[in-house]
Amino acid sequence: MITLIQKPVDLKKIEIWGASLIYGFVLLLLLARVAESNVNVIWTPYRYMFDEYHLHYSYSKYFFFPMVARYTLYFFSFLLWNFVIIPSLIEKRKTTLMIVLAVALFGAIWLFCGITDTWLKGYLFYKHTPEYVNNIIFKTNLIYAIWVTMMLTLYSLIKHAANYLLNNTDRIQSEYKVLTRDSIIALVVWMLLIFGLLLIDANIDVIALFFVTIPVAIGVYGLSTCSLIPTTLANKKRFLTYWLKVVWVTTAVSIPVLFISAAALHRHEAVAIIAGFSACFQLLVVAPFSWITYKRRMAGTAEILNLKTALGTSAANLDFLRSQINPHFLFNALNTLYGTALQENADRTGEGIQRLGDMMRFMLQENMHEKILLTREIDYLNNYIALQKLRTQTSPDINIDVQIEDHILGLQIAPMLLIPFIENAFKHGISLREPSHIKITLQTKENTLYFDVHNSIHIRPDNDPEKGKSGIGLVNVKQRLKLLYNNKHELIVRENASEFFIHLTINLA
């Protein structure tokens, strides 16, 4: 079930294979009974009536072939209803045709089940007229056809609800903290279990028991993991304190459960059993399970934290090694080259060296912080863009349009977060042989940053060593955005044969 959440699967194939296997298995069971040594004593649901009326009973005539026909009808009805009618109605495709097809399928189920029942219950013709028997059988099968159609519809509803829940667990959990990922999986299993009980026509008391107990258990588990257990541990209390809280919760929930069960079942003994079983299940199974699960999850979180600490120590060691490179020597060398370029009237070279020095100073100093002023990040972007313009300003077919807002005060951002998008634009958007364009805009409104990069795309020649390499810049920045600004950013990436576009919005509050 967890795999269904983490990676997409072809649910349609699974359903077809599952239905086909069940259909084949049922047919094999019917055939296996035919192979028994004494066919004349094979038990079937209606055989005793034939024996009571002293009628000859043929297993193949009065059971095997009618049931094969019924199971075949169920199999193809499931495929038609689940893969043609319901999807088309949901997507509002050929609605009128699908409604007509649904009515026709319902009629076919009614007619087919009525015809097969005349063989399964052939003993009725011994004491009644054919008109009377057919009237009784087809009236009964009208209700049965309604029930089959309801089961097919209920399965489709459960499937689409389960698919929605499993594909939106993160969003649902962010809005309703009680509904954890485990609770959502349990909810899906509960829906499938109730469907299975209804399908096999289980006892109403058994259905009511599962219908009540499992949702209450899901609620107790979700409430325990998001509130009861954390507050208990925060106050340095033990399991008994938490368990007493669950007792209060279970007692409060049992009152409406008693009223609802009494109204639905009208039998006090069954209501008392359901309420008692549900309460015991919450206290003796769900409460300890929630406690153990939460403690193990905390232990796993602590282990991850230790790993992060170890990783941070390694990063600190790397920073120390990096600091051993004398930055003063590097900047003095760049200053010397800059002065030489000015003496030789190489203005463009001098400007390039100066901007490169500013960028390297930024990378050695500012890049070590978790957050920096947005103005410093913008300075780095401007230096990089200016350095690239030195390379391209002699080409008239290259258009670089930069609209970056100035005087942004107070806002902070993670360093080197925006530059990969601009680097990507210059890497793939500039060609010295073909017309090229890059447009970069950056502005803020209140605490929100709006950043857009729009550039042309050029196919690299086969001998270009960078051909086919997208680099790790964009992948890395997406991961950083998810870690640093989870639920506080929106990244839209669009691409066609000739252009590439990104739109990034970040709440910097």
Side-chain angles (χ1 to χ4, degrees):
M1 189 65 71
I2 295 175
T3 308
L4 285 174
I5 300 173
Q6 293 175 340
K7 55 174 73 170
V9 295
D10 193 341
L11 188 60
K12 185 176 179 180
K13 277 188 178 180
I14 293 176
E15 289 179 282
I16 293 174
W17 276 104
S20 301
L21 286 173
I22 293 172
Y23 174 62
F25 180 71
V26 171
L27 294 185
L28 283 175
L29 284 179
L30 293 174
L31 287 170
R33 299 182 72 181
V34 173
E36 292 183 12
S37 58
N38 192 353
V39 178
N40 294 324
V41 297
I42 297 176
W43 180 89
T44 65
Y46 306 108
R47 185 186 182 104
Y48 74 98
M49 294 300 299
F50 284 87
D51 293 339
E52 186 176 325
Y53 293 152
H54 304 289
L55 299 173
H56 171 70
Y57 187 79
S58 170
Y59 174 77
S60 59
K61 179 180 179 181
Y62 293 113
F63 190 78
F64 177 77
F65 287 115
M67 291 308 296
V68 168
R70 275 201 174 189
Y71 289 133
T72 304
L73 171 71
Y74 297 153
F75 176 66
F76 286 105
S77 297
F78 171 79
L79 297 181
L80 183 62
W81 191 270
N82 197 45
F83 299 121
V84 178
I85 296 176
I86 294 298
S88 297
L89 289 176
I90 291 175
E91 298 171 8
K92 298 180 179 179
R93 292 185 287 105
K94 303 179 181 178
T95 306
T96 304
L97 176 62
M98 291 302 112
I99 292 174
V100 171
L101 189 59
V103 173
L105 181 61
F106 170 78
I109 294 172
W110 177 30
L111 180 64
F112 215 75
C113 289
I115 293 172
T116 54
D117 248 9
T118 61
W119 295 96
L120 293 169
K121 301 175 183 177
Y123 59 88
L124 292 173
F125 292 95
Y126 176 72
K127 283 195 171 183
H128 304 284
T129 63
E131 293 79 9
Y132 175 81
V133 173
N134 288 329
N135 185 44
I136 293 296
I137 285 178
F138 280 94
K139 279 184 178 179
T140 304
N141 278 284
L142 176 61
I143 299 173
Y144 182 73
I146 294 173
W147 182 84
V148 171
T149 307
M150 288 176 59
M151 288 299 100
L152 291 172
T153 305
L154 180 61
Y155 173 81
S156 296
L157 291 174
I158 290 174
K159 182 185 76 170
H160 286 91
N163 190 50
Y164 174 81
L165 290 172
L166 294 175
N167 289 329
N168 295 275
T169 51
D170 292 334
R171 188 173 64 82
I172 294 172
Q173 189 175 351
S174 65
E175 294 182 10
Y176 308 100
K177 297 195 176 187
V178 174
L179 286 176
T180 62
R181 183 182 295 268
D182 299 333
S183 299
I184 292 173
I185 295 174
L187 187 62
V188 172
V189 173
W190 170 73
M191 290 191 294
L192 294 173
L193 178 62
I194 294 296
F195 174 76
L197 292 173
L198 290 172
L199 194 63
I200 64 174
D201 197 20
N203 185 281
I204 185 63
D205 294 339
V206 176
I207 296 175
L209 182 66
F210 283 98
F211 192 84
V212 169
T213 303
I214 303 301
V216 174
I218 293 172
V220 170
Y221 175 82
L223 185 63
S224 297
T225 54
C226 79
S227 177
L228 299 181
I229 299 177
T231 54
T232 301
L233 294 176
N235 294 326
K236 298 182 179 179
K237 302 294 184 179
R238 297 186 178 274
F239 173 77
L240 181 60
T241 304
Y242 155 70
W243 190 79
L244 292 174
K245 292 180 181 178
V246 177
V247 171
W248 282 104
V249 171
T250 304
T251 304
V253 172
S254 297
I255 295 173
V257 167
L258 280 170
F259 282 108
I260 295 172
S261 301
L265 298 177
H266 304 290
R267 293 200 307 279
H268 298 298
E269 299 83 1
V271 171
I273 292 172
I274 291 172
F277 179 84
S278 177
C280 293
F281 186 76
Q282 315 312 325
L283 297 176
L284 301 180
V285 178
V286 178
F289 176 78
S290 303
W291 180 270
I292 294 170
T293 303
Y294 187 84
K295 296 279 282 186
R296 286 187 175 180
R297 189 174 297 168
M298 283 184 61
T301 303
E303 185 177 354
I304 292 173
L305 184 61
N306 290 334
L307 289 173
K308 285 184 176 180
T309 303
L311 184 62
T313 303
S314 300
N317 293 335
L318 180 61
D319 291 341
F320 174 75
L321 292 173
R322 187 187 291 122
S323 67
Q324 301 308 299
I325 302 174
N326 192 337
H328 296 291
F329 170 78
L330 180 62
F331 292 132
N332 287 336
L334 287 173
N335 288 333
T336 301
L337 292 173
Y338 176 65
T340 304
L342 292 180
Q343 291 176 1
E344 297 177 352
N345 295 323
D347 295 335
R348 289 178 59 205
T349 304
E351 183 183 353
I353 292 172
Q354 182 184 15
R355 293 192 179 278
L356 178 61
D358 292 339
M359 291 173 64
M360 296 185 72
R361 185 177 290 105
F362 175 89
M363 295 178 68
L364 285 169
Q365 297 175 0
E366 306 284 352
N367 198 30
M368 297 299 108
H369 302 291
E370 291 185 6
K371 295 284 183 69
I372 62 169
L373 288 173
L374 181 56
T375 53
R376 295 293 300 129
E377 179 81 0
I378 289 175
D379 289 341
Y380 182 81
L381 299 182
N382 285 328
N383 280 327
Y384 180 85
I385 294 169
L387 198 59
Q388 291 291 342
K389 282 183 175 180
L390 289 175
R391 179 172 68 93
T392 61
Q393 67 183 17
T394 57
S395 301
D397 292 333
I398 297 177
N399 180 30
I400 300 175
D401 182 11
V402 180
Q403 300 175 20
I404 296 181
E405 181 181 336
D406 294 329
H407 310 300
I408 300 173
L409 301 177
L411 295 178
Q412 291 189 323
I413 191 172
M416 304 290 289
L417 194 64
L418 306 178
I419 190 63
F421 298 109
I422 297 179
E423 287 180 343
N424 188 68
F426 278 99
K427 179 179 178 181
H428 300 284
I430 295 297
S431 171
L432 298 178
R433 296 180 298 275
E434 301 176 28
S436 308
H437 67 271
I438 294 177
K439 183 176 181 179
I440 301 167
T441 62
L442 185 153
Q443 59 182 343
T444 60
K445 186 176 181 181
E446 296 180 352
N447 293 321
T448 304
L449 169 72
Y450 301 93
F451 181 62
D452 295 275
V453 179
H454 181 199
N455 60 270
S456 53
I457 297 177
H458 301 284
I459 300 176
R460 294 178 175 271
D462 294 334
N463 59 355
D464 191 329
E466 293 293 326
K467 183 178 176 64
K469 297 181 181 179
S470 60
I472 62 171
L474 292 183
V475 175
N476 178 270
V477 78
K478 288 179 182 178
Q479 292 174 344
R480 291 185 67 202
L481 283 168
K482 187 173 182 180
L483 289 171
L484 299 172
Y485 298 100
N486 191 28
N487 298 325
K488 297 178 69 175
H489 81 280
E490 180 186 27
L491 176 62
I492 299 173
V493 179
R494 303 222 194 287
E495 181 179 3
N496 56 38
S498 60
E499 291 182 310
F500 187 87
F501 171 80
I502 72 102
H503 171 74
L504 174 63
T505 305
I506 307 178
N507 183 358
L508 299 176

